[in-house]
Amino acid sequence: MERITLDGNWRLQQAERGIDIPAAIPGDTHTALLEAGLIPDPFHGMQEQELQWIGRVDWILAREFDCPASLLESGELFLELESVDTFAEVLLNGTVIGTCENMFVRYRFDVSGTVTAGTNTITVKLSSAEQKARELSTRLPYPVPYMTYPTQSPHRNLIRKVQCHGGWDWGPCLMVAGLYEAPVLLASPLERIEYVHTNLTRDGDRWLLDVVTELQSSRTGETTLTISCAGVRHEERILLQVGSTELTRTLTIDGVEPWWPAGYGEQPLYELRVKTGHDAVNKQVGFRTVEVDTTPDAHGRPMTFRVNGKDIFCKGANWIPADSLPGRIRETDVEGLLQSAVDANMNMIRVWGGGRYEPDWFYGLCDRLGLMVWQDFMFSCALYPAQEYFLENVNEEVRHQVKRLKDHPSIALWCGNNEDIGALTWFEESRKQRDRYLIDYDRLNEGIIGSTVRELDPNRTWWPSSPSAGEGDYSDNWHDDSKGDMHYWSVWHEGKPFEAYHEVTPRFCSEFGFQSFPSLPLIESFCDTGEDLNISSPVMEHHQRNDRGNSIILSTFTRYFRLPASFSDQVYLSQVQQALAITTAVEYWRSKRPLCMGALYWQLNDTWPAASWSSIEYGGRWKTLHYAAARFFAPLMITVREESPGTITIYGVNDTEAPVSGSLQVDLVDFDGAVRGLLEDKAVLEAEASTSMEMFGLELSEAERFASCLRVRFIPDGDIPEAETTLLFAEPKRCGLREAAVKVTPVTGSEVILETDVPVLYLWLELPGWKGRFSDNCFHLFPDRPRRISLLGDIPKDRTALKLMHLRH
Ligand code: BMA
């Protein structure tokens, strides 16, 4: 098949405003306007507010392109459009060739006879999605409510567009429009391949790969179909019907290496090639089984991912779109974020339902990195219509997305939506008329999405919603830790203390989070003057979308810490307490393995610079939480708790396949620097298990509780890195931390040694202006254990500028 990709320079036009500017495609309205200097940066100050008009007017994207006569001679011509945001009328040389109304559907319009040899014009008329949503709302038989946010676009749930474009509790309202994949002109003399997708099953030592090839042709004819993968080849002559021809051929494959999640083995990928006389599709596949065990047990119903027969504790975070402006999303930046997930010992991410189905290359990266993907369908925090036109529209979307994505070995589960069962209880309308809205919910979720997934991808788990107690259970599962996946928000949204994480043992926690501010340099990038550098300045409040967000951050300061005086200390401490919150949860839940088998915190990344629950701020810099994640998600982890006053328990978690022996060392470290050895013992951490290592009594006077901490180390035999954790006997605000003299000694070009005279807690290293990251950060430093820290990434020019912050600096 011949193709012309229509990427590059287009024009963006808006007649009433006299706008006619260059626009890069793939790209969006806002990015083009910004690059043309017509609008200010929407992320700066409160400028987002002045830019709401962009989403309320119609736009035109257009360009000319040359079509060689040879292409016209090669047969039928089609124009393929994918990721069109959202309502568009598409014209070629002034003739309407089709309309788009769902940014998650792929459109292929017949343009034979419309394209001419020489210069052609393609015009995409984009109607305001916000106006369309308003119009649709007037035609509803009854209201369909949605969660509201400080700056938002109404009725976003009525249109098939990225839901968080209309504002979220961490993101701006920027109703972008545009083309996020370049349109492609396709020419074929006879058949074209619509889809290739596979079903994989294991048969003893062999794999059976059912390859489904969907062909389209406007004439009958004959062609040769060739399928090859992992050294196996199938070839046959086939007859083409008018319209669609679907063929399923099974390849029996052996001798391939299995695909494993990160931390469990390699990620070998094999090329699948499907070729016909005039078209070809290549895909990467991986060989593995993945199932989710939900067999009822004594505690309720587990949710255990099993890959190649092995139970995996899923460690990770929730993924939201990489930028509020889609035109700015670059594969290299996304790769950096996903690599950071793996560097923090994650093996799963959840592509959350308020964002987008990511492009193919995103899942390709996950395949290569060994990141399992929990894939939501794009419905979130709202009720949705169940009228025929909407269901048909979603049906097309789901069919397209499942066929597009299902061959990725990384995709571990399909999930219907985010929190839409919960949403049934959020609105007065649905509380009063639950039956009506529940039926609508079910029509869409089970009737369309679930049934399509079961039909097209029977070997993968269909999970109705997140959170959910499982199939056929319509309870919201927010507060039930006995079955399914849980969203545990009692600590953030309900104001419970961090200790409340110990009151639940979710079978799988797919959301829990705590907010922090982004780094000072990032805050300075969106503030104009020093006056703005105050938590309750209008600019800082604008960059906080959760109503009670800043007051929760502040009240948590006073709950655990001494109130920081300066703005930079508040920023630092907000990140420390976020890391402390999530560490408290994950260490406990991992120690409850196999009752709990997954922890995905909310959220990995940000779409703009703001206060949020993310562990990586906008731009890719690691917050304190991300460094903590690398420790609390490490394959070997130890955790210590004071179970009841004076009773200490230590658990060791080993996610690896072999038991690990080593020595356990417990010290009482006084804040004046004295180290008292309490216990030294040989210990074995059982394979793929949590081991109860010690339980002992520790009598301490009240003064001692405020003057010391318990340091626990597990030093494995052999080359395995050691695990360390610390228990404070009181909230940090009560601890008698001393003034410390921390010494930094540069060793090689990219390493420093840190030493201290007294213990320092949450030591944070910062090198202004440097874009790299440290091998570890925000850890406790003890006088008897200097630390060697590497600077990863570009070698900084000046290490003497290294700034240190800790709880008493
Ligand atoms: C969850 C998510 C998001 C939200 C987050 C923080 O419920 O699914 O919708 O941003 O909580 O409130």
Side-chain angles (χ1 to χ4, degrees):
M1 183 126 72
E2 300 204 43
R3 53 188 70 217
I4 301 178
T5 303
L6 303 176
D7 56 357
N9 297 330
W10 287 55
R11 305 288 305 174
L12 177 70
Q13 297 156 344
Q14 217 294 325
E16 294 88 23
R17 298 206 173 222
I19 295 171
D20 186 353
I21 55 170
I25 293 299
D28 66 82
T29 42
H30 292 58
T31 305
L33 290 162
L34 192 58
E35 273 169 20
L38 292 189
I39 59 165
D41 180 354
F43 295 170
H44 193 83
M46 307 192 351
Q47 292 170 174
E48 167 202 357
Q49 306 297 60
E50 304 154 29
L51 302 176
Q52 294 305 311
W53 65 269
I54 305 170
R56 295 180 187 144
V57 298
D58 300 341
W59 292 92
I60 290 178
L61 275 167
R63 69 165 270 181
E64 291 185 343
F65 63 93
D66 276 335
C67 181
S70 59
L71 197 81
L72 298 184
E73 284 149 24
S74 57
E76 291 187 37
L77 292 178
F78 294 88
L79 185 73
E80 176 179 292
L81 292 138
E82 193 156 8
S83 293
V84 177
D85 187 7
T86 296
F87 295 93
E89 189 178 53
V90 186
L91 297 91
L92 258 180
N93 301 326
T95 306
V96 177
I97 53 158
T99 53
C100 308
E101 53 183 5
N102 181 336
M103 77 167 280
F104 308 127
V105 163
R106 184 187 74 183
Y107 296 90
R108 279 182 165 182
F109 300 131
D110 186 350
V111 292
S112 318
T114 322
V115 181
T116 55
T119 307
N120 291 267
T121 307
I122 175 169
T123 310
V124 180
K125 293 186 175 174
L126 295 159
S127 321
S128 157
E130 180 162 324
Q131 307 294 10
K132 282 272 183 192
R134 282 183 204 275
E135 268 165 50
L136 287 166
S137 76
T138 62
R139 286 190 249 139
L140 292 171
Y142 42 84
V144 184
Y146 51 93
M147 182 69 131
T148 55
Y149 301 109
T151 304
Q152 64 156 1
S153 177
H155 306 294
R156 63 176 169 272
N157 53 337
L158 307 184
I159 54 175
R160 297 310 297 140
K161 170 177 174 59
V162 170
Q163 299 286 279
C164 69
H165 285 170
W168 216 262
D169 64 357
W170 38 256
C173 174
L174 293 168
M175 287 291 274
V176 281
L179 303 172
Y180 309 145
E181 296 280 348
V184 186
L185 191 64
L186 307 165
S188 169
L190 185 60
E191 82 289 348
R192 66 173 198 265
I193 301 178
E194 286 289 286
Y195 290 101
V196 166
H197 54 99
T198 64
N199 281 320
L200 180 68
T201 40
R202 194 169 193 140
D203 177 29
D205 290 344
R206 309 174 311 171
W207 296 91
L208 302 179
L209 186 67
D210 298 334
V211 181
V212 183
T213 308
E214 293 183 26
L215 297 158
Q216 191 72 29
S217 173
S218 58
R219 290 185 287 120
T220 54
E222 224 183 290
T223 189
T224 303
L225 172 72
T226 316
I227 306 173
S228 58
C229 184
V232 180
R233 192 163 184 280
H234 169 90
E235 188 176 308
E236 68 178 299
R237 289 293 285 171
I238 55 166
L239 290 177
L240 295 163
Q241 297 158 11
V242 175
S244 54
T245 304
E246 187 177 308
L247 299 149
T248 303
R249 298 292 178 263
T250 302
L251 302 188
T252 304
I253 294 175
D254 51 24
V256 287
E257 295 297 321
W259 183 95
W260 287 101
Y264 289 85
E266 302 292 309
Q267 292 78 41
L269 297 169
Y270 296 84
E271 188 149 37
L272 166 69
R273 289 161 187 263
V274 176
K275 209 175 147 329
T276 61
H278 302 103
D279 204 355
V281 166
N282 291 350
K283 284 188 155 186
Q284 299 274 323
V285 295
F287 293 86
R288 54 100 190 89
T289 59
V290 56
E291 58 202 302
V292 181
D293 183 5
T294 57
T295 317
D297 60 17
H299 305 274
R301 239 181 336 157
M303 185 172 198
T304 302
F305 285 76
R306 188 167 294 147
V307 179
N308 300 326
K310 184 178 287 299
D311 290 356
I312 309 279
F313 191 103
C314 299
K315 300 182 281 197
N318 283 268
W319 173 267
I320 61 173
D323 203 300
S324 294
L325 303 186
R328 278 191 188 169
I329 299 177
R330 300 273 168 272
E331 187 172 345
T332 45
D333 298 333
V334 170
E335 182 173 6
L337 290 168
L338 295 173
Q339 182 65 54
S340 288
V342 174
D343 291 345
N345 292 308
M346 296 184 185
N347 56 26
M348 179 179 267
I349 52 162
R350 169 170 174 241
V351 176
W352 163 79
R356 61 179 194 169
Y357 308 95
E358 293 289 341
D360 293 332
W361 51 257
F362 177 95
Y363 301 92
L365 286 168
C366 294
D367 293 342
R368 290 209 293 281
L369 291 168
L371 276 174
M372 291 182 283
V373 175
W374 169 308
Q375 179 67 46
D376 282 1
F377 286 92
M378 295 301 134
F379 302 87
S380 180
C381 297
L383 306 179
Y384 285 87
Q387 287 156 293
E388 217 42 52
Y389 78 91
F390 192 83
L391 299 182
E392 277 168 20
N393 197 352
V394 172
N395 187 30
E396 269 189 70
E397 163 185 336
V398 175
R399 299 192 87 77
H400 171 59
Q401 295 298 342
V402 173
K403 289 176 189 179
R404 178 173 77 91
L405 298 176
K406 67 192 272 239
D407 304 309
H408 290 280
S410 53
I411 295 191
L413 162 143
W414 297 109
C415 170
N417 60 67
N418 174 68
E419 297 183 348
D420 288 353
I421 301 181
L424 287 162
T425 62
W426 298 349
F427 311 106
E428 204 189 328
E429 295 92 333
S430 51
R431 280 195 298 271
K432 279 195 183 144
Q433 298 254 22
R434 187 174 167 93
D435 290 357
R436 164 195 278 174
Y437 289 96
L438 181 61
I439 288 170
D440 281 359
Y441 169 84
D442 206 48
R443 277 189 185 136
L444 176 69
N445 203 57
E446 291 294 336
I448 299 292
I449 310 173
S451 69
T452 307
V453 169
R454 285 194 189 94
E455 173 204 327
L456 292 175
D457 199 11
N459 294 342
R460 230 187 234 96
T461 298
W462 156 250
W463 195 248
S465 179
S466 185
S468 160
E471 282 191 60
D473 190 326
Y474 292 82
S475 54
D476 72 10
N477 225 43
W478 282 66
H479 295 96
D480 183 351
D481 63 353
S482 70
K483 28 187 184 2
D485 72 317
M486 187 176 194
H487 288 189
Y488 187 71
W489 279 104
S490 302
V491 172
W492 176 264
H493 286 302
E494 293 164 31
K496 288 196 175 176
F498 295 172
E499 295 70 35
Y501 286 121
H502 294 176
E503 290 165 11
V504 290
T505 302
R507 308 310 300 267
F508 191 111
C509 201
S510 44
E511 274 191 24
F512 56 106
F514 203 89
Q515 275 203 354
S516 68
F517 296 113
S519 68
L520 197 55
L522 192 64
I523 293 176
E524 284 167 344
S525 78
F526 62 75
C527 289
D528 275 324
T529 64
E531 303 277 289
D532 295 332
L533 301 180
N534 184 299
I535 289 178
S536 41
S537 72
V539 170
M540 285 300 289
E541 289 193 345
H542 182 76
H543 287 251
Q544 165 60 275
R545 292 305 161 91
N546 184 219
D547 285 346
R548 294 172 41 249
N550 286 352
S551 62
I552 299 176
I553 292 175
L554 278 172
S555 68
T556 310
F557 286 163
T558 60
R559 192 180 240 165
Y560 296 105
F561 301 96
R562 298 182 191 190
L563 192 65
S566 72
F567 181 68
S568 66
D569 284 354
Q570 291 161 4
V571 167
Y572 154 80
L573 195 63
S574 76
Q575 293 200 10
V576 167
Q577 70 186 13
Q578 177 191 29
L580 176 60
I582 305 305
T583 303
T584 307
V586 176
E587 285 195 358
Y588 181 69
W589 294 339
R590 283 190 70 190
S591 80
K592 292 290 178 181
R593 174 187 178 140
L595 199 54
C596 174
M597 283 303 281
L600 312 180
Y601 63 74
W602 183 266
Q603 71 209 57
L604 183 75
N605 54 321
D606 272 328
T607 64
W608 74 318
S612 88
W613 298 268
S614 73
S615 64
I616 304 179
E617 67 183 26
Y618 182 72
R621 191 177 142 114
W622 287 23
K623 289 173 161 181
T624 298
L625 171 58
H626 209 77
Y627 287 101
R631 294 189 294 264
F632 62 62
F633 281 148
L636 283 194
M637 180 213 81
I638 46 169
T639 181
V640 54
R641 286 195 293 280
E642 191 170 19
E643 212 74 53
S644 55
T647 304
I648 306 294
T649 55
I650 300 171
Y651 282 83
V653 180
N654 174 9
D655 285 343
T656 72
E657 283 174 295
V660 178
S661 57
S663 59
L664 179 72
Q665 204 171 303
V666 183
D667 301 307
L668 195 67
V669 185
D670 291 345
F671 293 134
D672 65 10
V675 178
R676 271 184 282 161
L678 286 187
L679 190 150
E680 197 165 345
D681 220 349
K682 280 289 183 203
V684 177
L685 298 189
E686 296 305 336
E688 298 172 87
S690 166
T691 306
S692 163
M693 298 173 82
E694 286 290 344
M695 183 167 194
F696 57 90
L698 185 64
E699 294 284 314
L700 293 177
S701 67
E702 205 179 357
E704 283 174 312
R705 294 178 73 82
F706 300 148
S708 57
C709 62
L710 196 71
R711 184 181 63 194
V712 183
R713 295 167 63 199
F714 177 71
I715 305 142
D717 303 333
D719 266 352
I720 307 169
E722 72 168 77
E724 181 181 304
T725 191
T726 306
L727 173 74
L728 299 181
F729 299 106
E731 297 92 334
K733 66 183 176 185
R734 294 177 195 273
C735 291
L737 295 169
R738 305 290 171 86
E739 297 264 358
V742 180
K743 198 166 119 207
V744 185
T745 315
V747 260
T748 63
S750 57
E751 270 188 328
V752 291
I753 290 183
L754 298 161
E755 291 166 283
T756 181
D757 55 345
V758 295
V760 290
L761 301 186
Y762 301 106
L763 178 64
W764 176 251
L765 316 177
E766 178 138 350
L767 196 51
W770 178 56
K771 292 263 183 273
R773 68 175 165 87
F774 297 94
S775 57
D776 197 0
N777 208 345
C778 213
F779 43 79
H780 305 328
L781 186 69
F782 298 102
D784 61 332
R785 294 201 10 90
R787 294 276 308 254
R788 187 183 272 256
I789 296 295
S790 310
L791 285 75
L792 310 173
D794 298 343
I795 306 241
K797 287 188 192 72
D798 178 15
R799 274 174 306 165
T800 54
L802 192 69
K803 266 178 44 192
L804 303 177
M805 297 175 100
H806 53 87
L807 277 198
R808 175 137 195 210
H809 63 269

